[in-house]
Amino acid sequence: MPPSPTRSSRQLSTIVHASPFVMAQRLMDMALATQPPSGRDQREWNRMFSEKGSAAVEAWWAMVNAMWLAPMSSSAWTLWPNPWQYWTGLAHAGDRILAEGLKPVARTVSANRTRLARRGSSRR
């Protein structure tokens, strides 16, 4: 019996399926851009760069928060835990930590795919 998919694997699947479309659409837009770039093109490029930065920072903070809270969610948590309990709890929470870090990236890529597909169909 194959293992059940984890939350992080579903998010990775979303990223893997949506990102090639987003990259192709944006590269095509860059190739077709006028010289000098129009206001629409400049807004899209600024959005692209700011979204990448904000998704990376949001992912980093989500992973730090999940790492911080992971040992506390284990049943072995006490008021004065020993280091072994901390690292054991952290090791068991690996998928949850990864999933929290992938969540903003998957959300951004999926939203961009939807938005760019809508915009691309209205352009024709």
Side-chain angles (χ1 to χ4, degrees):
M1 178 178 282
S4 63
T6 59
R7 196 167 72 164
S8 61
S9 64
R10 286 189 300 268
Q11 289 171 333
L12 278 172
S13 176
T14 299
I15 293 168
V16 165
H17 288 0
S19 58
F21 174 84
V22 172
M23 290 170 49
Q25 184 68 39
R26 285 186 166 159
L27 285 172
M28 186 174 63
D29 287 346
M30 285 181 191
L32 296 175
T34 59
Q35 192 60 25
S38 68
R40 180 180 179 181
D41 291 333
Q42 289 178 357
R43 283 190 302 276
E44 180 63 32
W45 297 341
N46 286 335
R47 180 180 187 153
M48 177 177 57
F49 289 116
S50 66
E51 279 179 347
K52 287 181 188 324
S54 64
V57 169
E58 189 178 344
W60 186 83
W61 275 111
M63 289 176 70
V64 167
N65 188 38
M67 275 179 44
W68 180 259
L69 296 176
M72 293 178 203
S73 64
S74 72
S75 60
W77 180 257
T78 60
L79 185 59
W80 302 104
N82 66 28
W84 182 250
Q85 286 174 322
Y86 176 81
W87 292 109
T88 304
L90 198 58
H92 292 297
D95 183 62
R96 188 170 52 239
I97 293 168
L98 180 62
E100 288 299 316
L102 289 173
K103 190 187 314 181
V105 177
R107 184 182 62 235
T108 303
V109 169
S110 181
N112 281 335
R113 175 161 171 57
T114 304
R115 183 177 56 80
L116 290 173
R118 218 177 21 245
R119 194 184 82 194
S121 65
S122 68
R123 183 181 276 185
R124 293 183 192 123

